[in-house]
Amino acid sequence: GNSVTQMEGPVTLSEEAFLTINCTYTATGYPSLFWYVQYPGEGLQLLLKATKADDKGSNKGFEATYRKETTSFHLEKGSVQVSDSAVYFCALRIPINTNAGKSTFGDGTTLTVKP
Amino acid sequence: EAGVAQSPRYKIIEKRQSVAFWCNPISGHATLYWYQQILGQGPKLLIQFQNNGVVDDSQLPKDRFSAERLKGVDSTLKIQPAKLEDSAVYLCASSHSAGRTHNSPLHFGNGTRLTVT
């Protein structure tokens, strides 16, 4: 089956520190990969995505590269801010025969950034 | 564009009672999902609709959970009777369904937090 494994949290960093959140996956077929972010009291929202090997997704200073050889999609940011404090979810999506796609999510990593 | 709308935001019920949640997806999104998110875990798919047809309900506890999307737009998820372990956030999401749809991200509502006492 399909699965996503994320680095366990919580992660606590000081402002301007470098962030890495590890994500590895197993999938049947060729998935698209996503990072979602969830702020307190809100639903998940897309942060970035990559749809094929070696693609790099980027948004708001965050980046992740689709590594097919290591089945990984690690999230990085060079300098975190207090406003980045949230829960981050790695997810994959594979096509299914009804053309609708099936998503699988990791368990999330809580990031707290202190001033 | 307007986002995915869900109601209510919070619900507290006693075990063995029933509860219903409502979702209105983004206009034009043919695919609608209901997820259960238990505290500290990622969302787990309960049911996926394509228009008004069910694509995947393999993880839906059908003895107590039901969902419908009669006109292919808004949807309701019902639990009857509720158990203590149903306490969770219930998230609705929608996505485009055209072309290579597995590239399309999910758009989530803010969820309904259910507490069963």
Side-chain angles (χ1 to χ4, degrees):
Chain A
N2 304 314
S3 67
V4 175
T5 302
Q6 283 184 238
M7 174 174 130
E8 286 191 21
V11 174
T12 302
L13 296 173
S14 297
E15 209 165 20
E16 300 183 4
F18 184 85
L19 168 71
T20 300
I21 300 178
N22 290 340
C23 171
T24 57
Y25 67 90
T26 58
T28 53
Y30 201 155
S32 293
L33 301 175
F34 303 82
W35 277 101
Y36 289 85
V37 59
Q38 186 175 33
Y39 299 102
E42 299 183 12
L44 284 70
Q45 54 186 275
L46 178 70
L47 181 60
L48 53 83
K49 71 174 186 180
T51 59
K52 60 183 188 295
D54 300 325
D55 265 3
K56 179 185 285 188
S58 61
N59 186 27
K60 300 180 181 179
F62 290 88
E63 293 183 340
T65 301
Y66 190 142
R67 300 289 188 198
K68 192 169 188 289
E69 64 277 11
T70 55
T71 62
S72 65
F73 192 54
H74 305 321
L75 182 68
E76 296 182 338
K77 186 174 186 182
S79 176
V80 294
Q81 305 301 312
V82 172
S83 57
D84 294 327
S85 298
V87 183
Y88 293 82
F89 292 91
C90 184
L92 64 83
R93 192 164 182 210
I94 58 168
I96 55 178
N97 55 11
T98 59
N99 206 31
K102 183 180 174 90
S103 297
T104 301
F105 289 82
D107 282 337
T109 301
T110 300
L111 170 66
T112 302
V113 180
K114 297 187 173 180
Chain B
E1 63 183 3
V4 176
Q6 285 190 251
S7 65
R9 280 293 268 134
Y10 305 93
K11 191 74 178 178
I12 301 174
I13 61 172
E14 294 181 353
K15 59 183 179 184
R16 291 187 289 275
Q17 287 187 323
S18 63
V19 63
F21 313 125
W22 175 82
C23 172
N24 192 28
I26 291 173
S27 177
H29 282 192
T31 310
L32 184 147
Y33 313 77
W34 283 103
Y35 283 89
Q36 181 191 60
Q37 186 180 19
I38 293 172
L39 186 64
Q41 298 181 18
K44 299 292 190 294
L45 181 68
L46 292 173
I47 189 167
Q48 179 176 341
F49 292 94
Q50 178 78 359
N51 297 308
N52 59 351
V54 175
V55 171
D56 185 351
D57 64 356
S58 58
Q59 300 302 308
L60 188 73
K62 298 181 186 64
D63 58 334
R64 298 185 302 106
F65 286 64
S66 64
E68 60 183 16
R69 193 185 185 199
L70 292 176
K71 296 183 179 179
V73 181
D74 58 347
S75 174
T76 55
L77 175 69
K78 295 179 182 177
I79 307 175
Q80 183 179 12
K83 292 185 175 181
L84 295 176
E85 59 261 35
D86 297 332
S87 294
V89 175
Y90 291 85
L91 294 167
C92 179
S94 67
S95 68
H96 283 292
S97 293
R100 298 192 64 190
T101 56
H102 71 295
N103 296 337
S104 302
L106 273 61
H107 298 260
F108 286 86
N110 286 337
T112 297
R113 182 176 296 278
L114 174 67
T115 303
V116 182
T117 62

